[in-house]
């Protein structure tokens, strides 16, 4: 029977140990990715809410006749 070449190397930790570490790293990365996605979604929601509040607030401000209108977003948003 042929032996596993990885486990035969001097000083080798064996295949199982490396695979477990690899799986653990991937699980941690999956958790981090999920947290980043949720954070980005939350921040997008907060920004949209803030932009809506700004829009509603500015539309309710009385403007004196003859006052030039300024678009603070330059039409970009």
């Amino acid at each position: 029977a042929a032996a596993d070449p990885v486990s035969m190397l001097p000083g080798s930790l064996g295949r199982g140990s490396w695979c477990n570490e690899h799986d653990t790293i991937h699980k941690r990365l999956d958790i981090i990715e999920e947290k980043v996605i949720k954070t980005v979604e939350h921040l997008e929601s907060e920004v949209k809410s803030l932009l809506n509040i700004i829009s509603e607030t500015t539309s309710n401000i009385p403007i004196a006749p003859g006052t030039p209108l300024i678009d603070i977003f330059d039409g970009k948003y």
Side-chain angles (χ1 to χ4, degrees):
D4 181 9
V6 174
S7 63
M8 297 299 292
L9 293 174
S12 173
L13 296 175
R15 185 179 213 187
S17 175
W18 182 87
C19 286
N20 289 339
E21 184 177 333
H22 183 76
D23 289 343
T24 301
I25 290 171
H26 273 282
K27 287 176 185 175
R28 289 180 181 170
L29 288 174
D30 289 342
I31 291 169
I32 291 169
E33 180 182 18
E34 183 179 332
K35 287 182 179 183
V36 168
I37 289 170
K38 286 181 180 180
T39 301
V40 168
E41 288 172 351
H42 175 75
L43 291 173
E44 285 177 339
S45 173
E46 289 294 317
V47 168
K48 286 178 184 178
S49 294
L50 289 171
L51 288 174
N52 285 336
I53 290 169
I54 290 170
S55 177
E56 290 170 3
T57 302
T58 57
S59 66
N60 294 331
I61 297 174
I63 299 173
T67 304
L69 298 176
I70 300 172
D71 183 1
I72 61 171
F73 298 113
D74 293 328
K76 294 180 183 174
Y77 299 98

